[in-house]
Amino acid sequence: MGRASPLAPCMAVAPTFLYILLILIWVLKKQLIHQTTETNPVPNVEYKMSTNGEAAPAVVIPVEDRATDTRAKAPVAAAPPPAPAPRSFPFLMRKTAKGVGGCKRVLAFLDFVLRLCGIAATLVAAVTMGTTNETLPFFTQLFQFRANFTDLPALLFFVIANGIAAGYLVLSIPFSIAGIVRPQATCPRLLLFIFDLVMVAFTSAAASSAAAIVYLAHNGSSEANWVAICLQFDGFCQRISGAVVAAFIAVVFFMALLLISGLLLRKR
């Protein structure tokens, strides 16, 4: 017997591998054709015989169009008009996420401005009265004629009260700013309303007592044999009179703050 060739086993299985390869190529070709028809569907074309016996292409009507043509077409709805651009309001007129704002925020800003004005008025009243001091140019060997606000307890109380009111207004500024940012918050506003009410009574009492002293200093009292000292201490009387006027202006500011707080605490 002759020696078998080493390529004999390969030659035996070669037809089988070739057959399997042809089957795989055929399957891949079918799959590729199927995917192409799904992406680009071929329209359905109808043919009809011409008079000379040749096939002539008829009008191409896609199947989908024929199906839709049998139904009544719905009227095309007109495109909705573009929504108007939202109006941009200033910060003070904008509403919050809960629909609160507008007028309340404007009132809160007015509250902030009045507090700044109140700080200026109370500081002017306290500083003017606290620095009032006048000494007459003539004096004797035993007496020196001098007028100071500490000589009268009412004027001393006036300085202390206006100083406390100015300090309170400075401390209330952050709460007022919080009312501008969040106008729906009621706790800070209620707290400011209570303390503003106390300050109205406090500054009114101080201004009224100082006004009584200023009146006596200008006019005196014949029943009590009090002499009008403003005839000699003219500079002293002018300064304490200006301080009293500033204090009453501060009282007006406090009353306006109470009115604004009451409006902001309303539910509607």
Side-chain angles (χ1 to χ4, degrees):
M1 292 181 65
R3 188 176 178 181
S5 174
L7 298 176
C10 296
M11 297 296 293
V13 297
T16 306
F17 280 112
L18 184 60
Y19 182 72
I20 294 173
L21 182 61
L22 290 174
I23 292 175
L24 289 175
I25 292 173
W26 181 77
V27 171
L28 290 175
K29 184 179 178 182
K30 288 290 185 182
Q31 186 69 22
L32 182 62
I33 293 173
H34 180 67
Q35 290 180 357
T36 307
T37 53
E38 284 183 353
T39 3
N40 301 316
V42 180
N44 188 13
V45 182
E46 295 181 357
Y47 292 90
K48 64 180 180 178
M49 296 299 295
S50 61
T51 54
N52 54 5
E54 296 179 357
V59 180
V60 179
I61 301 178
V63 176
E64 294 81 7
D65 293 343
R66 182 185 299 174
T68 54
D69 287 343
T70 57
R71 298 191 301 267
K73 293 184 179 180
V76 180
R87 297 177 60 185
S88 59
F89 292 97
F91 173 74
L92 295 178
M93 296 299 295
R94 293 177 190 169
K95 292 186 177 181
T96 60
K98 296 183 178 180
V100 180
C103 295
K104 284 196 172 184
R105 186 165 277 162
V106 173
L107 288 174
F109 179 75
L110 183 60
D111 176 271
F112 173 75
V113 174
L114 286 176
R115 289 184 189 280
L116 294 179
C117 296
I119 291 172
T122 50
L123 282 178
V124 166
V127 172
T128 303
M129 184 69 76
T131 56
T132 299
N133 186 11
E134 185 178 2
T135 303
L136 295 181
F138 56 90
F139 57 91
T140 63
Q141 188 176 1
L142 299 177
F143 297 100
Q144 184 178 9
F145 300 97
R146 182 178 60 88
N148 194 299
F149 78 98
T150 56
D151 298 332
L152 299 168
L155 301 185
L156 183 61
F157 171 66
F158 177 89
V159 174
I160 295 174
N162 282 277
I164 293 174
Y168 158 72
L169 287 173
V170 171
L171 294 177
S172 68
I173 290 296
F175 294 94
S176 182
I177 295 175
I180 298 174
V181 178
R182 298 184 61 190
Q184 74 275 12
T186 56
C187 290
R189 186 57 55 189
L190 182 61
L191 190 67
L192 290 178
F193 180 80
I194 294 173
F195 280 100
D196 288 345
L197 188 60
V198 173
M199 286 298 123
V200 165
F202 201 39
T203 53
S204 298
S208 300
S209 60
I213 297 299
V214 170
Y215 176 82
L216 288 176
H218 278 281
N219 301 314
S221 176
S222 57
E223 291 82 2
N225 293 325
W226 288 347
V227 182
I229 64 173
C230 289
L231 298 177
Q232 290 81 25
F233 298 96
D234 183 61
F236 175 81
C237 289
Q238 288 182 0
R239 290 180 64 87
I240 62 175
S241 299
V244 170
V245 171
F248 276 111
I249 293 174
V251 171
V252 172
F253 286 148
F254 274 115
M255 290 181 176
L257 289 174
L258 279 177
L259 179 61
I260 292 175
S261 297
L263 292 174
L264 289 174
L265 287 173
R266 294 178 60 190
K267 299 229 183 236
R268 296 181 180 179

